[in-house]
Amino acid sequence: MIIADRAELQGTARDASGEGWTSLRLLVRSDGMGFSMTETQVLPGAVLRLQYKHHIEACYCIGGAGEVVELASGKVHPISAGVLYAPDAHDRHEVRVPSGGDALHLICVFSPALEGNEVHGPDGSYPMG
């Protein structure tokens, strides 16, 4: 049985952050589940250009509001509580959160699992684990 208490994970190697985002890694590769789960916040005013070349991801919004832009087509998808997005084909995308509002609060699942302390590289991806 795995029990992950966010209060105990904060401030550890599983509490990752970068410009415009924070991500608490609730499940990681060493937990042996085959996927990882994060509690992620995209901060107000952030524009994150991402492409997970080595992972697939699903993100479920539990608070805040923003948008995801498919960079190949320019299609814009509003994201708010209750909406899931999943760049299932390693899609290049941007996550945007307007300034002056609340952070976009997401629960994200990655496959394969993250090590736990990754940050985005210059191309917007995490390294292959």
Side-chain angles (χ1 to χ4, degrees):
M1 176 73 61
I2 297 168
I3 306 296
D5 183 334
R6 73 183 309 276
E8 293 175 5
L9 296 175
Q10 290 175 316
T12 71
R14 290 188 183 201
D15 195 357
S17 63
E19 188 173 335
W21 61 275
T22 65
S23 183
L24 191 63
R25 278 63 192 281
L26 303 168
L27 288 172
V28 296
R29 179 172 295 136
S30 63
D31 292 318
M33 297 291 292
F35 63 90
S36 58
M37 179 177 285
T38 71
E39 179 183 354
T40 297
Q41 292 193 56
V42 183
L43 305 176
V47 176
L48 305 180
R49 187 168 280 217
L50 305 169
Q51 181 182 21
Y52 295 112
K53 296 176 180 179
H54 310 292
H55 300 84
I56 55 172
E57 170 196 39
C59 296
Y60 182 70
C61 182
I62 59 172
E67 60 188 21
V68 172
V69 181
E70 295 179 55
L71 293 176
S73 67
K75 187 165 183 170
V76 178
H77 305 278
I79 305 297
S80 59
V83 175
L84 176 135
Y85 72 90
D88 59 332
H90 306 287
D91 308 286
R92 290 178 53 245
H93 61 288
E94 279 185 355
V95 180
R96 301 176 183 167
V97 178
S99 296
D102 293 330
L104 187 62
H105 197 166
L106 305 166
I107 299 298
C108 305
V109 176
F110 285 88
S111 178
L114 300 176
E115 291 291 331
N117 61 352
E118 292 91 340
V119 296
H120 300 107
D123 63 355
S125 71
Y126 289 138
M128 182 184 273

